[in-house]
Amino acid sequence: MEISQTVKREIDSLIDIGNKIIQKASQARSTLEGSDLAEVSSWVTRIGQLVRKLYGENSQHFANFDRAISIDSFYSIHSNWYRQIAEVQGIALTIKHDIENGLIGSIKGLLQAEIFANFLEIGEHLLSEGYKDAAAVTIGTVLEDGLRELCKRNNISITKPNGSPLTIEPLNTELAKNEVYSKLVQKQITSWAHIRNKAAHGQYSEYDKSQVEIMLLFVQGFAEQHLA
């Protein structure tokens, strides 16, 4: 994930502001008010927006941010009560560390892989309970979402010229054409896409449970190799 200069400037600005707020707070004999308090509110909002954009609301970073700003009397800031401000500043410093060390893409990739793994577990459970058709649809959907994510990572369009989203086979074709994976993998994905489409259109007799089981193994391996 390429981090823009705008984002880098924003986090530098936020850390600068945070340092100034901490300095004011450490010297304040009474609670910060007026423009000082407005500055704190703006600073907190901007950090929250940045955490959402870079990591998402299901991330540990957002959980840490949410916990910090949920402290009772968060905005009652003075020399004896500004630990909560230091905690938020710590989150900003962590973001800067992640940006400078190229970790943002890795974190988002791990989160995406975890989401895919969870849905594949659902597909596996459906299979074990004898619901091969629902499992085929679920596993196929994970595969399609994975192809869409790979396209995004490789700057390949995921929409048609009219703006409608590309489906699994056009995505597959584009990824193979751009050598994200081999022609052999492309052919394998095409065969599993056929099963997913048959399941989605009620053609349940045209494939069996063993084929869906092999499909699951393929998609699990594909996700580990390309989305982890």
Side-chain angles (χ1 to χ4, degrees):
M1 177 182 176
E2 185 65 29
I3 302 298
S4 70
Q5 290 301 315
T6 301
V7 173
K8 292 175 182 177
R9 286 195 296 271
E10 174 70 353
I11 193 60
D12 286 340
S13 170
L14 289 168
I15 288 171
D16 240 12
I17 294 169
N19 286 334
K20 292 174 184 175
I21 292 172
I22 288 172
Q23 184 176 12
K24 286 180 184 176
S26 67
Q27 298 171 354
R29 295 184 178 181
S30 59
T31 302
L32 295 184
E33 297 178 347
S35 61
D36 289 336
L37 192 58
E39 184 179 43
V40 174
S41 178
S42 172
W43 175 71
V44 168
T45 300
R46 286 168 60 189
I47 291 177
Q49 289 174 337
L50 198 57
V51 172
R52 284 187 182 91
K53 178 179 179 180
L54 295 178
Y55 304 95
E57 293 191 9
N58 293 321
S59 65
Q60 185 61 50
H61 288 63
F62 187 81
N64 291 343
F65 173 79
D66 190 53
R67 183 173 61 250
I69 66 172
S70 297
I71 293 173
D72 289 341
S73 304
F74 179 90
Y75 287 101
S76 297
I77 303 162
H78 50 78
S79 59
N80 291 323
W81 180 241
Y82 64 96
R83 184 196 70 189
Q84 71 279 30
I85 299 300
E87 288 183 13
V88 175
Q89 178 74 336
I91 293 166
L93 290 168
T94 299
I95 295 172
K96 183 175 175 65
H97 171 270
D98 288 349
I99 289 173
E100 291 179 344
N101 290 278
L103 297 176
I104 300 292
S106 299
I107 291 167
K108 290 182 78 70
L110 287 169
L111 177 61
Q112 193 69 50
E114 183 180 342
I115 292 169
F116 289 146
N118 289 341
F119 276 100
L120 285 175
E121 285 180 10
I122 293 171
E124 189 172 13
H125 175 72
L126 289 168
L127 260 178
S128 69
E129 294 295 315
Y131 301 108
K132 73 174 179 66
D133 308 314
V137 172
T138 300
I139 296 164
T141 300
V142 172
L143 179 58
E144 183 172 351
D145 286 347
L147 298 184
R148 191 166 285 110
E149 177 64 21
L150 272 182
C151 283
K152 291 178 184 177
R153 294 183 188 183
N154 289 277
N155 297 315
I156 299 170
S157 177
I158 59 172
T159 59
K160 299 176 184 177
N162 64 5
S164 61
L166 292 178
T167 54
I168 189 167
E169 195 50 37
L171 293 168
N172 185 28
T173 300
E174 288 300 313
L175 286 163
K177 187 168 72 175
N178 284 272
E179 299 183 344
V180 176
Y181 48 67
S182 69
K183 294 290 184 182
L184 174 59
V185 172
Q186 180 188 7
K187 290 179 181 178
Q188 291 173 313
I189 289 174
T190 296
S191 67
W192 302 127
H194 285 322
I195 289 181
R196 179 270 181 94
N197 290 337
K198 290 180 187 300
H201 292 92
Q203 300 171 335
Y204 306 134
S205 63
E206 298 195 24
Y207 61 93
D208 57 32
K209 181 181 178 183
S210 64
Q211 290 174 300
V212 181
E213 289 172 340
I214 298 171
M215 179 185 181
L216 172 63
L217 291 174
F218 171 83
V219 177
Q220 286 173 329
F222 181 85
E224 288 175 5
Q225 181 176 355
H226 295 285
L227 297 168

